[in-house]
Amino acid sequence: MQQIIPNIRLALHSLARHPLRTFLTMLGMVIGVAAVLTMIALGTGARGSVAEEVSSAGTNLVYVKAGNYTRGGSSVGIASGAGAATTLVSADASAIAAQVPGVRALSPVLTLRSFVTSGDQRAFVRAQGVATTFERVRGWSFVAGSMFASDDAPSAVLGANLAADLFGSADAAPGSVIRIRGLELTVTGVTDDASDDYADVLFLPWQTLQASMGIQHLDGITIAAEKAGETSRIATEVRTLLRQRHGIRGTDSSQAGYLAEQGGVGGMPDDFTVETQAAQALTQGLYTPAAAFALANLPRLDEVTLEEMAETLDRASDTMTALLASIAGVSLIVGGIGIMNVMLVSVTERTREIGLRMATGARGSDVAAQFVVEAMTLSIIGGLAGLLLGLASAWLVGWSLGWPASVSTASMVLAIGIAAAVGLVFGIYPARRASRLDPIEALRTE
């Protein structure tokens, strides 16, 4: 340690003698480290983006509806409760969010059909009371404006077609006032969601609609799973939880298939219905016996799909890791070679200085340490400059591509450590060459 500090001072003094040459030598390391950090940031962002897309790919919604009636269900052993029920409440939604793992977001749902007016325009619409979290549940983006701010605000979000019918265009809707069932609502946004006829739907805060209708119950709860492959598991846990909360006696069946999908086997029938988005899409238009047969292996289908998505993500990650390692290796080798070349030139230029040090008592190891420290100092300074450049480049490229480019502290420390290691490895040969010079011959050098 006592020799390192003086050697660092000597290294900085030596590098300051030729600032242009030092800068050009460091440039290779700067570019190398910056490229590595940029690729790490973009790789991390790309993997996160791909992972999010894969995990939410396909059908990731679970629908809970009040009431439970399946036409023709008795013919295949499906227990059905009342066709309508008022036992589903907001506390059930809170319990699901708190006790069922893997739920990304959920929203209470109320549905009403009524006339909506705006000036002279009038339309008969389906109005849905939803929470502010419905934006995350559906993965909405907005043509204009944004989601309403609270669950009890006098606000509304319109589907694109409804906005065009009432205001002529989506851009004219935000800030306008509409009326429904005696309520005056300010439009905050227009969503581009065209699925399930949502383009023609009026969305308003569920508590506002609930108060207007004078009720305490919900028509449903829409749940978004973190991963599409977990919807069957979430549906099963939601069903079990709601049976407990609603005091339904008996044990719900855990067997796969439509019987478990509709619940109620082995005890009193449910007063609600839990259905995954995949089940809804798979059984649309089918008679009950055919639907029961189609859904018999749905949990297994979710499991296989999840495995395939995980394998795909792993393969993509391995390929990206190999690509990043190749780019990093080439960049750092180029920078290391540049450092070694300039250190060899430095040894040649400072031969007389080396001879003088040896003649006054310096050992070969001291001379070698001086040049190794100088090479590492050059490399570390270049690494620090490359770190700053890499962070700026990562942010700029990530911003332009819309990826969540980020660099962890561990990655930054690793980058500086690798830069120091490159300086050490490529500084050894010039240092050994300097330490083996003959002092007498070195002093004779002009």
Side-chain angles (χ1 to χ4, degrees):
M1 180 62 69
Q2 293 179 350
Q3 293 183 353
I4 292 179
I5 302 300
N7 282 335
I8 292 177
R9 290 174 180 169
L10 284 173
L12 293 175
H13 178 72
S14 176
L15 295 175
R17 292 184 196 171
H18 307 284
L20 181 60
R21 187 174 72 182
T22 300
F23 170 74
L24 293 176
T25 304
M26 288 192 305
L27 195 59
M29 187 58 61
V30 170
I31 294 174
V33 172
V36 170
L37 282 177
T38 303
M39 296 306 294
I40 287 176
L42 294 182
T44 302
R47 289 185 63 182
S49 179
V50 170
E52 183 178 353
E53 291 293 332
V54 170
S55 66
S56 62
T59 53
N60 70 323
L61 298 182
V62 177
Y63 302 105
V64 181
K65 300 177 183 177
N68 176 21
Y69 176 73
T70 303
R71 182 179 181 183
S74 58
S75 63
V76 288
I78 298 174
S80 297
T86 60
T87 54
L88 194 64
V89 294
S90 60
D92 292 328
S94 299
I96 291 171
Q99 300 181 38
V100 178
V103 174
R104 181 175 65 188
L106 59 77
S107 169
V109 176
L110 286 167
T111 303
L112 172 72
R113 292 190 179 274
S114 181
F115 284 99
V116 60
T117 60
S118 174
D120 296 333
Q121 300 299 318
R122 189 167 184 259
F124 188 74
V125 300
R126 176 162 61 98
Q128 278 203 337
V130 298
T132 57
T133 52
F134 201 69
E135 177 184 6
R136 289 190 63 208
V137 171
R138 296 294 305 183
W140 274 351
S141 57
F142 287 83
V143 177
S146 59
M147 191 68 178
F148 41 76
S150 67
D151 294 339
D152 59 355
S155 307
V157 168
L158 306 181
N161 292 347
L162 180 58
D165 292 340
L166 293 177
F167 302 103
S169 67
D171 293 334
S176 302
V177 176
I178 59 175
R179 293 171 178 82
I180 181 171
R181 288 181 58 89
L183 294 172
E184 286 194 357
L185 306 174
T186 301
V187 178
T188 62
V190 178
T191 175
D192 64 350
D193 192 341
S195 60
D196 298 329
D197 299 324
Y198 277 6
D200 299 298
V201 175
L202 163 67
F203 301 93
L204 68 157
W206 69 274
Q207 292 181 7
T208 301
L209 182 57
Q210 194 178 57
S212 172
M213 297 172 67
I215 60 175
Q216 296 297 320
H217 62 273
L218 303 175
D219 292 332
I221 303 170
T222 303
I223 304 167
E226 287 283 0
K227 297 181 179 180
E230 294 189 348
T231 52
S232 292
R233 192 261 308 163
I234 290 174
T236 300
E237 294 188 15
V238 167
R239 186 178 305 109
T240 301
L241 176 63
L242 291 182
R243 284 179 66 86
Q244 293 173 352
R245 290 184 54 82
H246 293 185
I248 300 175
R249 297 190 305 273
T251 304
D252 188 18
S253 173
S254 60
Q255 63 178 328
Y258 196 74
L259 301 182
E261 185 69 28
Q262 292 299 321
V265 179
M268 293 177 59
D270 297 340
D271 58 2
F272 57 87
T273 303
V274 181
E275 189 176 33
T276 63
Q277 187 179 11
Q280 188 180 78
L282 194 59
T283 60
Q284 188 173 9
L286 297 179
Y287 291 107
T288 300
F293 177 79
L295 289 171
N297 293 308
L298 182 64
R300 177 58 183 165
L301 177 62
D302 284 348
E303 181 182 341
V304 171
T305 303
L306 184 61
E307 290 177 358
E308 290 178 349
M309 289 191 295
E311 291 176 359
T312 301
L313 182 58
D314 288 341
R315 287 196 296 269
S317 299
D318 292 342
T319 302
M320 187 168 291
T321 300
L323 176 63
L324 295 179
S326 300
I327 295 175
V330 172
S331 301
L332 292 173
I333 288 173
V334 170
I337 291 174
I339 290 175
M340 184 172 65
N341 285 339
V342 84
M343 292 306 300
L344 287 173
V345 172
S346 180
V347 169
T348 302
E349 290 178 345
R350 295 157 60 188
T351 300
R352 185 176 180 83
E353 175 190 329
I354 295 170
L356 183 60
R357 286 197 63 192
M358 288 184 171
T360 55
R363 296 169 298 178
S365 59
D366 297 327
V367 174
Q370 176 188 347
F371 280 88
V372 167
V373 169
E374 187 171 323
M376 292 181 64
T377 301
L378 183 62
S379 183
I380 291 173
I381 293 174
L384 291 172
L387 175 63
L388 297 177
L389 179 61
L391 291 174
S393 176
W395 177 85
L396 179 62
V397 178
W399 172 78
S400 63
L401 295 178
W403 285 356
S406 61
V407 180
S408 65
T409 303
S411 298
M412 292 188 282
V413 173
L414 179 63
I416 299 302
I418 291 175
V422 169
L424 174 63
V425 171
F426 285 90
I428 288 176
Y429 176 70
R432 285 173 58 87
R433 184 169 178 177
S435 66
R436 292 180 177 181
L437 289 176
D438 186 328
I440 298 177
E441 294 297 330
L443 286 171
R444 290 177 177 175
T445 303
E446 295 295 336

